[in-house]
Amino acid sequence: MLADYSILLIGAILVNNFVLVQFLGLCPFMGVSNKLETAMGMSMATTFVLTLASACSYLTYNYLLLPLGLSYLKTISFILVIAVVVQFTEMVVRKSSPLLHRVLGVYLPLITTNCAVLGVALLNINQNHNFMQSLFYGFGAAVGFSLVLVLFAAMRERLAVADVPMPFKGAAIGMVTAGLMSLAFMGFAGLV
Amino acid sequence: MPLLRITSPHAHGPMSTSRVMQHVLLATVPGIIVLTHFFGFGTLVNILWGGIVALACEALALALRGRPLAFYLKDYSALVTSTLLCIALPPYAPWWLIAIGVASSVLLAKHLYGGLGYNPFNPAMVGYVVLLISFPVQMTAWAPPRGLGEVPGLFEALLACFSPASFDAVTMATPLDVLKQNNSLLLEDLWQENPQFGRWGGIGWEWASLAFLAGGLWLLYQRIFTWHAPVAMLVAITAMAGMFYDNGSSASGGSPLFHLLSGATIFGAFFIVTDPVSSAVSTRGKLIYGAMIGALVYIIRVRGNYPDAVAFAVLIANFTAPFIDYYTQPRTYGHARKGDS
């Protein structure tokens, strides 16, 4: 039981890392990784939303769409669910904890359109995860995303002062670096 | 910007970049001699051809960027990269394999990032991983060591490199491969059934590892690098192997001594992990960095798909190095310790 969940977590964090192996959520990965602090804020917000959204989309699919025979609507309804969850979270956080809102607030709307969130919801259905498995898979995906985002941000701060040739400055060398990191992560293949 | 004025006395460090690189090249010599003794001239041909390609790539990149050629070519860094990569490549590799590997090391991993001193990933290991993922068949074709097969001469080694089609390559699974494939035999029986295994590691490999250890210790004595990262890596791999070693059942991952003296453990610890550019910088950072590589090498060797994992582990640790540095910055003199007011 516990071993199953840890395999699920290691699989989602390292072996099938959402960014470097499945290439999901690349826009925030490139966009929010210029500074380590913003990357930290983004990863916390994503972890929160991803875990919540994977639970909510599981409930929606199994208790609303399946009984009504509407499973072909899953993509569009997941987008709706995610948007609602994010918006709702933002409102709650703003009222209940202004401090947390200041830390996470800017990033929350960004996450609505993050393909990793939708990807997790759909993969959970594809792989027939139950409720707890969906929760853990969402959490693992978020931790994997956060891990590489934060590490990548620390590396990009260093790249910003490197003597990179003119045509490769900025996003180009970022993509090259992400590619090399993706190569390195292939070493985890077969761990689970 | 204020001009930095420093008054005398000035001490002059005798170690320039090219001196450091020459020392590293010299330190690989015992290992190369042992490899040549056991596996024939393949490694030497690799190194020579790789060196030519490396200098050509370096010159091309410098010319494209309008940098002075002679100054940068004389710092030996391209030669060190290509030599380290070519030692790691299987002997009797075809010329195009070496060329692709060296070109990706020098051009992709080094010059795209601005040349010497800016590369976030170890260039030699980038080249190795690119080749391992693109050409797995050629990259796992290791020659049998002396005593277990014909060791080709110099002419055959040249033929193998530049005219691969006309050379009948004899290959043999490395000890790490054999251990990886094993799922039914006790380790003791595995040792007896497969002639590759030597006293501690594999035949040839154990002596090559010891020779690289000698070279590495000499570099340490010359203060080319500090002891922290290599020792942390070796301790971590020993601890991991010791923790999961069950005296040789079929599911066992091999003894600590076997892991230390097989594959690229020692070579990696002293020649790859100690790369001053792509590793962590602070003392505590180096310890964390080295330990992480050691642990990852063991995990991927025993659990992952690849028989040896030094290249992957080093790249993954390179990736975390800036983050490790960020959190292990030493306290600047005169500033309060954390918690002091």
Side-chain angles (χ1 to χ4, degrees):
Chain A
M1 188 68 177
L2 195 66
D4 288 349
Y5 285 127
S6 52
I7 283 175
L8 201 64
L9 274 181
I10 293 173
I13 295 173
L14 297 177
V15 183
N16 292 315
N17 186 287
F18 267 66
V19 180
L20 293 180
V21 180
Q22 310 204 30
F23 305 118
L24 289 169
L26 281 177
C27 352
F29 182 64
M30 297 305 295
V32 204
S33 55
N34 284 323
K35 281 194 69 181
L36 191 56
E37 277 169 30
T38 44
M40 295 253 191
M42 179 70 182
S43 34
M44 276 191 281
T46 312
T47 310
F48 186 68
V49 170
L50 246 174
T51 316
L52 202 63
S54 51
C56 289
S57 52
Y58 174 84
L59 294 177
T60 318
Y61 185 76
N62 281 288
Y63 294 101
L64 194 68
L65 296 182
L66 270 190
L68 295 176
L70 291 174
S71 55
Y72 59 90
L73 283 180
K74 62 175 184 273
T75 307
I76 198 160
S77 42
F78 286 169
I79 293 176
L80 198 66
V81 167
I82 292 163
V84 169
V85 168
V86 172
Q87 211 27 246
F88 182 71
T89 317
E90 206 216 344
M91 277 151 59
V92 171
V93 169
R94 186 164 56 201
K95 292 292 176 201
S96 62
S97 163
L99 184 72
L100 193 64
H101 185 254
R102 234 189 15 242
V103 180
L104 301 186
V106 210
Y107 307 108
L108 282 175
L110 268 176
I111 300 167
T112 324
T113 52
N114 184 344
C115 49
V117 184
L118 184 64
V120 169
L122 290 172
L123 282 174
N124 270 332
I125 305 300
N126 274 356
Q127 300 178 359
N128 290 323
H129 287 154
N130 65 27
F131 181 70
M132 281 311 279
Q133 281 171 334
S134 304
L135 210 61
F136 269 85
Y137 192 65
F139 179 69
V143 171
F145 174 82
S146 310
L147 178 79
V148 294
L149 181 68
V150 167
L151 294 178
F152 189 54
M155 184 161 270
R156 279 190 90 177
E157 287 196 357
R158 197 172 276 191
L159 288 184
V161 293
D163 179 24
V164 177
M166 208 48 202
F168 291 100
K169 274 207 157 63
I173 198 71
M175 291 304 264
V176 172
T177 311
L180 289 179
M181 277 162 31
S182 188
L183 274 184
F185 262 62
M186 289 183 89
F188 286 125
L191 277 195
V192 292
Chain B
M1 203 173 101
L3 271 176
L4 196 64
R5 269 184 301 178
I6 305 169
T7 56
S8 58
H10 302 292
H12 181 252
M15 279 294 180
S16 60
T17 307
S18 62
R19 293 274 297 178
V20 170
M21 297 293 172
Q22 283 167 0
H23 274 80
V24 175
L25 280 181
L26 264 182
T28 59
V29 169
I32 295 173
I33 292 174
V34 174
L35 278 179
T36 308
H37 171 72
F38 279 105
F39 296 100
F41 285 97
T43 314
L44 266 184
V45 173
N46 281 4
I47 291 171
L48 290 180
W49 168 239
I52 295 169
V53 177
L55 288 179
C57 290
E58 179 94 356
L60 173 75
L62 291 172
L64 282 177
R65 298 201 66 193
R67 297 287 157 91
L69 276 185
F71 176 77
Y72 283 104
L73 282 183
K74 268 194 300 192
D75 70 8
Y76 289 90
S77 63
L79 279 182
V80 167
T81 300
S82 72
T83 306
L84 295 183
L85 172 64
C86 290
I87 289 173
L89 290 181
Y92 314 108
W95 61 271
W96 50 266
L97 189 81
I98 300 169
I100 293 174
V102 171
S104 14
S105 304
V106 175
L107 295 177
L108 180 72
K110 186 175 156 200
H111 277 289
L112 272 197
Y113 288 95
L116 184 66
Y118 292 114
N119 46 304
F121 296 101
N122 184 303
M125 291 300 103
V126 169
Y128 189 85
V129 166
V130 166
L131 289 180
L132 185 59
I133 286 173
S134 316
F135 309 103
V137 176
Q138 283 84 352
M139 288 297 286
T140 44
W142 265 91
R146 182 180 294 274
L148 298 182
E150 247 346 75
V151 174
L154 181 60
F155 175 71
E156 280 148 313
L158 286 169
L159 199 69
C161 183
F162 296 104
S163 166
S166 59
F167 175 74
D168 287 331
V170 186
T171 62
M172 187 178 238
T174 66
L176 281 170
D177 284 329
V178 175
L179 190 69
K180 170 119 265 173
Q181 306 297 336
N182 172 48
N183 46 18
S184 56
L185 287 176
L186 292 177
L187 283 196
E188 210 169 314
D189 301 333
L190 193 70
W191 246 248
Q192 300 213 319
E193 286 197 10
N194 290 282
Q196 291 93 326
F197 292 104
R199 193 170 304 159
W200 307 294
I203 290 178
W205 301 88
E206 48 197 22
W207 294 108
S209 290
L210 290 176
F212 282 120
L213 177 68
L217 289 178
W218 179 69
L219 285 182
L220 195 62
Y221 175 69
Q222 295 286 328
R223 300 196 186 181
I224 302 292
F225 48 74
T226 62
W227 57 270
H228 303 88
V231 168
M233 172 187 166
L234 296 178
V235 166
I237 204 168
T238 314
M240 289 291 282
M243 215 155 43
F244 293 103
Y245 185 56
D246 51 5
N247 288 322
S249 78
S250 58
S252 157
S255 70
L257 199 60
F258 174 76
H259 276 283
L260 283 179
L261 292 176
S262 302
T265 311
I266 299 282
F267 172 68
F270 287 97
F271 291 91
I272 305 293
V273 173
T274 51
D275 174 8
V277 183
S278 60
S279 72
V281 180
S282 62
T283 306
R284 253 189 318 152
K286 279 182 199 157
L287 289 174
I288 300 172
Y289 174 84
M292 198 173 126
I293 293 178
L296 280 173
V297 167
Y298 182 80
I299 292 172
I300 298 178
R301 263 185 192 173
V302 175
R303 288 292 179 136
N305 283 349
Y306 296 95
D308 202 357
V310 174
F312 284 114
V314 167
L315 285 193
I316 292 164
N318 285 163
F319 177 28
T320 63
F323 185 75
I324 294 175
D325 275 342
Y326 191 88
Y327 280 100
T328 54
Q329 280 173 7
R331 183 179 63 96
T332 41
Y333 184 72
H335 286 249
R337 282 188 182 79
K338 215 179 245 179
D340 292 3
S341 52

